[in-house]
Amino acid sequence: GKEAKTNAMRMRIEKNVKYEAIAYDCGEFIDGIHCADITGAPHDQSFKTLVMEGKSGGYYVFVVPIEKEVNRKAAAKSVGEKAVDMIHVNGSYKDHGLYLRRLQPSWNEKKFIRWCLTSLPKTFDEIYVSGGRVGLTLKVPLKDLLDVTQGKLAPITME
């Protein structure tokens, strides 16, 4: 049958961004490391997307390597907030790098959500990020992700 598109996929198509969708079977929550292992994605090119809310009420997507943790103080500073916290949405996984059901941070979000990616020790042409639902990873050009989301690079991980 026809592949069901997520908002993240639709926006990439709308903006003419090439991507590769990698679907995998996942009966229950698994972390980003296990997702990368299942899909064969290199760990150093695999990232989790964390949705946080700032003290001002703004929402942010922080993109960090699957093997690292976000430094909330540095993340807040990177977007001009005093503090940021993970959002809490009933019935969803909040810190595993998958999109939340009631607040999908996709590129066509009606309420603008700012994106911030961790500064990378290497430059990658492509990275692997959540595809907008459990069991879907997208391989996308890093430059296109930054351009379309109007994202920026900043040092936002724990050392």
Side-chain angles (χ1 to χ4, degrees):
K2 188 176 175 182
E3 177 186 39
K5 302 269 191 272
T6 64
N7 288 341
M9 296 163 80
R10 283 185 203 95
M11 197 59 187
R12 286 170 174 89
I13 292 167
E14 181 181 308
K15 300 288 185 179
N16 294 318
V17 173
K18 294 188 187 311
Y19 68 88
E20 177 184 345
I22 305 165
Y24 55 94
D25 288 327
C26 182
E28 60 185 52
F29 165 72
I30 56 175
D31 63 25
I33 293 171
H34 289 100
C35 292
D37 290 344
I38 291 170
T39 62
H43 283 207
D44 62 345
Q45 285 180 258
S46 298
F47 293 79
K48 54 188 172 183
T49 52
L50 306 173
V51 182
M52 296 188 170
E53 183 175 8
K55 288 290 183 191
S56 72
Y59 291 101
Y60 305 92
V61 177
F62 295 100
V63 182
V64 297
I66 58 173
E67 296 175 331
K68 297 229 178 202
E69 296 298 321
V70 70
N71 178 327
R72 289 189 359 215
K73 188 172 185 176
K77 183 178 178 183
S78 75
V79 294
E81 289 278 358
K82 290 183 181 183
V84 291
D85 287 305
M86 294 298 298
I87 64 169
H88 300 282
V89 180
N90 290 339
S92 67
Y93 303 107
K94 61 183 184 298
D95 60 357
H96 54 53
L98 298 172
Y99 291 95
L100 302 170
R101 280 187 281 213
R102 289 196 287 167
L103 179 65
Q104 285 192 350
S106 65
W107 292 344
N108 66 345
E109 192 63 43
K110 290 178 184 168
K111 183 174 183 177
F112 182 68
I113 297 176
R114 291 177 53 192
W115 286 61
C116 185
L117 286 77
T118 189
S119 296
L120 302 170
K122 302 181 199 178
T123 301
F124 297 112
D125 290 331
E126 298 174 312
I127 64 171
Y128 298 80
V129 294
S130 172
R133 69 171 178 256
V134 174
L136 182 65
T137 294
L138 298 182
K139 181 180 176 183
V140 63
L142 176 59
K143 182 185 180 314
D144 292 342
L145 179 65
L146 289 168
D147 288 348
V148 174
T149 63
Q150 298 176 23
K152 70 176 193 173
L153 295 174
I156 58 170
T157 56
M158 297 279 208
E159 291 306 320

